[in-house]
Amino acid sequence: MTYRVVQWSTGNVGRHAIAGIDARPDLELAGVWVSNPAKVGRDAGELAGLGRDLGVTATGDAEALLALRPDCVVYTSMADVRLMEAIDDLCRILRAGVNVVSSSPVFLQFPDGVVPPEMSDPVREAAAAGGASVFVNGIDPGFANDVLPLAVTGISERIDQVRCMEILNYNTYDQATVLFDIMGFGRPLDDVPMLLRPGVLTMAWGSVVRQIAAGLGVELDEIAERHTRLPAPDTFAVSAGTIGKGTAAALRFEVRGMRGGEAVVVLEHVTRLRDDLAPDWPQPAGAGCYRVEVRGEPNYTVDLRLLGTDGDHNTAGLKATAMRLVNAVPAVVKAPPGLRTALDLPLTPGRGLL
């Protein structure tokens, strides 16, 4: 069976999603939505950097795309700075009877116990009204801290703690809004960015912690946050801009699922903008990695190393996010209506060997 898919946005993740849709023989790109008027009328292949046309031109007309009655929308529009607008987008698509796989808003990965019901209920209600399903995922939050750690625990006799880590240098991540405005890099250390305001880390990654606990049948007492930032020793440039001496250049944070005073499920990020920063913090396998540590009997460490064919680990991360969504399309289309999570869906492998 071939599934007709609309790609919603063509940014850092969306352009990789277009390539992924084109690569799967069971998916057909039916349309592309863009917010930038300069992209309207351009071919999807050009927007994705494929070097060839796909015969599908981009449009800013959402109603026209929904009127095509696609089987699924791959939604990759940024939600970090437009949260309610993104929720409205998802509700609009779902009410039209169209299934959705989405990279945002990230708390919808597993919202129960993470955000108030009024933030997730509209999406559930829209899905019920349209008879459609929605799956929010990616690489992180997503595969690296839902399917991967739960799979590793499947060979455990006893589990004392599950820790999921992202250890990456973001120097080639060309997204100034995320790096500077949301994460606070290149800003004074006494300036509290959006990400580090109380409760925001939990809203973003509490879903990860809650979902792992639910998968293991563990009841958490609470979720706690902590973070550390380090300054740049000198001024240097990254893809997104300039990091001034003394401004934030390394960030380490934890979102901790607590039970009986102990952290039993931990989401940790170790983010540098230069490899030589914070040498005493955890180091990646290869150029960058996602790491799962399961402590108990026995102890396990699994490193998922990232490297794109262009030699960049951040490219691999963006493509992984896109392909987690694209490869889930058939399973989400077949799923019962509603907000689906990784605990609901079967394994969603890629397709084909060259």
Side-chain angles (χ1 to χ4, degrees):
M1 179 176 179
T2 299
Y3 300 95
R4 298 174 66 249
V5 179
V6 164
Q7 173 56 40
W8 209 278
S9 88
T10 59
N12 280 337
V13 175
R15 59 190 178 86
H16 291 296
I18 291 173
I21 294 166
D22 181 59
R24 282 193 66 126
D26 57 345
L27 301 182
E28 174 191 341
L29 184 66
V32 175
W33 182 88
V34 291
S35 60
N36 185 348
K39 293 183 178 181
V40 172
R42 294 170 61 184
D43 189 88
E46 177 194 357
L47 294 175
L50 297 181
R52 56 186 170 84
D53 286 350
L54 298 181
V56 178
T57 56
T59 179
D61 189 340
E63 289 303 320
L65 291 175
L66 295 178
L68 296 173
R69 302 294 298 168
D71 295 296
C72 193
V73 163
V74 180
Y75 185 90
T76 57
S77 292
M78 178 185 287
D80 296 336
V81 294
R82 48 181 297 278
L83 181 59
M84 299 315 298
E85 293 93 331
I87 291 175
D88 288 344
D89 286 345
L90 295 184
C91 290
R92 179 185 191 183
I93 298 166
L94 291 166
R95 282 197 193 95
V98 179
N99 302 289
V100 184
V101 292
S102 177
S103 58
S104 61
V106 293
F107 65 78
L108 289 174
Q109 181 196 25
F110 194 86
D112 297 340
V114 177
V115 295
E118 54 265 28
M119 294 190 71
S120 58
D121 281 353
V123 177
R124 297 182 196 271
E125 291 163 4
S133 57
V134 55
F135 176 59
V136 178
N137 216 261
I139 184 67
D140 179 3
F143 178 85
N145 34 58
D146 56 35
V147 169
L148 184 60
L150 289 174
V152 176
T153 65
I155 50 174
S156 294
E157 175 186 305
R158 187 189 76 248
I159 304 164
D160 298 330
Q161 184 190 76
V162 177
R163 179 178 294 266
C164 301
M165 306 172 69
E166 177 189 90
I167 312 174
L168 291 177
N169 183 335
Y170 275 29
N171 65 334
T172 60
Y173 183 47
D174 193 5
Q175 221 315 339
T177 298
V178 172
L179 236 61
F180 301 135
D181 300 335
I182 296 174
M183 301 185 73
F185 287 117
R187 302 286 190 259
L189 291 177
D190 58 1
D191 178 37
V192 180
M194 178 192 297
L195 185 66
L196 300 181
R197 294 172 188 167
V200 174
L201 286 173
T202 296
M203 179 179 286
W205 284 278
S207 60
V208 165
V209 172
R210 290 286 185 190
Q211 184 166 229
I212 292 173
L216 296 175
V218 172
E219 187 76 27
L220 298 176
D221 299 330
E222 62 173 335
I223 294 181
E225 307 171 353
R226 64 185 185 187
H227 70 269
T228 303
R229 291 195 289 172
L230 294 179
D234 48 61
T235 298
F236 62 94
V238 297
S239 294
T242 300
I243 307 301
K245 180 179 180 179
T247 65
L251 168 65
R252 183 180 185 182
F253 68 76
E254 290 183 354
V255 181
R256 314 170 84 219
M258 309 297 292
R259 187 184 64 176
E262 298 290 331
V264 293
V265 180
V266 182
L267 183 285
E268 180 179 3
H269 274 211
V270 177
T271 310
R272 301 173 172 89
L273 295 186
R274 219 168 63 185
D275 288 339
D276 63 332
L277 299 176
D280 56 327
W281 290 1
Q283 297 291 333
C289 75
Y290 288 98
R291 178 170 297 157
V292 173
E293 296 179 347
V294 178
R295 293 198 307 208
E297 179 54 46
N299 296 306
Y300 297 113
T301 298
V302 176
D303 283 332
L304 178 64
R305 295 173 58 169
L306 304 180
L307 192 64
T309 54
D310 62 356
D312 183 30
H313 56 283
N314 284 311
T315 299
L318 294 169
K319 188 168 286 291
T321 293
M323 293 314 301
R324 175 65 167 147
L325 303 178
V326 170
N327 289 331
V329 167
V332 172
V333 172
K334 295 174 185 175
L339 176 61
R340 307 268 66 94
T341 75
L343 300 181
D344 303 318
L345 297 181
L347 185 67
T348 57
R351 279 294 181 93
L353 291 172
L354 297 180

